[in-house]
Amino acid sequence: SIGTYAFSGCIGLTSIHIPDSVKSIGNGAFYKCTGLTNVTLPERIDSIGSNIFDGFDRGVFEDCTGLTSIDIPNGVKFIGHRTFRDCSGLTSINIPSSITKIENYIFYRCVGLTSINIPTNITSIGEKAFGRCNGLTSIDIPNSVTSIEGGAFSGCSGLTSINIPRSVTSIGAYAFSGCSRLTYVDIPSSISKIEDGTFFYCRGLTSINIPNSVTQIGSQT
C-alpha cells in the first residue's frame, strides 16, 4: 500500500511507476503533484483512495494539473471521492467495468475532460461527480444507473445533450443546474419528483418532456 499524502506536494515529480505489489493507494497520496504527467498503475491494484472519507481528505490525484491521461486497470473495485478533482489537464479517462459507483466530486472541475465512458456496471453517479466539467458536450448514462445525485452535472456549460435512461429513479437537486447549452431534456417515466434547482439556469433549454409519473416539481427547477 501507499499511505495517505505519501507524495503530496511533490511538484517536481513528473512520472511514477507503481509496482505490482501495491494493491491500494491512500487519500491524497499524490495531491498537488502538479508536475506529474505520467502514472503507471499496477494490474493487481484493488482501490484508489479510501472509502473512509471525513470530508476534509483530498483525492489521490487531486490538483494534479499536469496529468493528461491515466489507465485504470480492470481489477480496480473502488475509486474514492475527489480522486481526480481539479485535474484540469485530464482530457479522457476509461472507467473500468469493475467499478459500480462514481463517487462524489471524483471529476469535479476537470475542465479539459472531453469524453467519458461510463461502464454498464455503474448504478449511481455521485454528488457533483462531473460538476463544472466544461469540456463535456454529451454523455450517455447506461441503463444500469438508478441514481443521479445532487449537482452531478452542475455547471457543465458545454453539455448539449444527455440521455437519461428509464432505469433512473431519482435525480438529485441541482443535478443539471448551469448547463447553459442544454437544449432538450426527456425525463423518463421512472421519475416521480423533480428536485429543487434540477435545471436551474439552463438558459438554452427550449423544450422538456415531463411524464405523467411526476407528481412534484421543486423550487428553482
Side-chain angles (χ1 to χ4, degrees):
S1 64
I2 296 176
T4 56
Y5 299 95
F7 299 97
S8 174
C10 291
I11 58 175
L13 190 66
T14 58
S15 66
I16 188 163
H17 174 77
I18 301 171
D20 290 338
S21 55
V22 174
K23 290 188 176 182
S24 65
I25 303 174
N27 292 334
F30 300 97
Y31 170 58
K32 275 191 179 295
C33 289
T34 53
L36 191 64
T37 59
N38 181 42
V39 177
T40 303
L41 295 174
E43 290 295 325
R44 295 177 59 193
I45 195 167
D46 292 325
S47 61
I48 302 171
S50 172
N51 58 2
I52 301 172
F53 202 89
D54 64 7
F56 296 98
D57 283 340
R58 301 293 183 172
V60 174
F61 297 103
E62 184 173 345
D63 249 333
C64 288
T65 53
L67 196 64
T68 56
S69 64
I70 186 169
D71 288 328
I72 301 175
N74 288 326
V76 174
K77 296 179 176 64
F78 178 81
I79 303 175
H81 296 205
R82 302 170 63 128
T83 295
F84 299 103
R85 176 173 174 158
D86 288 314
C87 288
S88 56
L90 195 66
T91 57
S92 64
I93 192 165
N94 184 50
I95 301 171
S97 58
S98 50
I99 298 295
T100 58
K101 180 182 179 181
I102 298 177
E103 298 289 341
N104 300 347
Y105 290 87
I106 191 169
F107 299 108
Y108 186 73
R109 274 202 303 253
C110 287
V111 295
L113 196 65
T114 56
S115 64
I116 189 80
N117 175 41
I118 300 178
T120 55
N121 283 5
I122 297 293
T123 59
S124 177
I125 299 174
E127 180 183 347
K128 294 190 178 180
F130 297 98
R132 297 194 181 185
C133 289
N134 301 335
L136 285 178
T137 56
S138 64
I139 192 161
D140 283 326
I141 300 172
N143 291 327
S144 56
V145 173
T146 59
S147 172
I148 299 173
E149 296 182 19
F153 298 95
S154 60
C156 290
S157 58
L159 198 65
T160 57
S161 65
I162 189 160
N163 174 45
I164 305 173
R166 288 192 176 95
S167 58
V168 174
T169 56
S170 67
I171 300 174
Y174 297 92
F176 301 100
S177 64
C179 293
S180 54
R181 294 186 184 178
L182 197 63
T183 58
Y184 172 72
V185 174
D186 184 13
I187 298 173
S189 57
S190 51
I191 298 294
S192 60
K193 181 182 179 182
I194 300 175
E195 299 286 350
D196 293 350
T198 302
F199 301 103
F200 179 69
Y201 213 64
C202 289
R203 295 178 296 175
L205 201 62
T206 56
S207 64
I208 185 167
N209 179 38
I210 302 175
N212 293 330
S213 58
V214 173
T215 58
Q216 185 176 350
I217 298 176
S219 62
Q220 293 187 321
T221 300

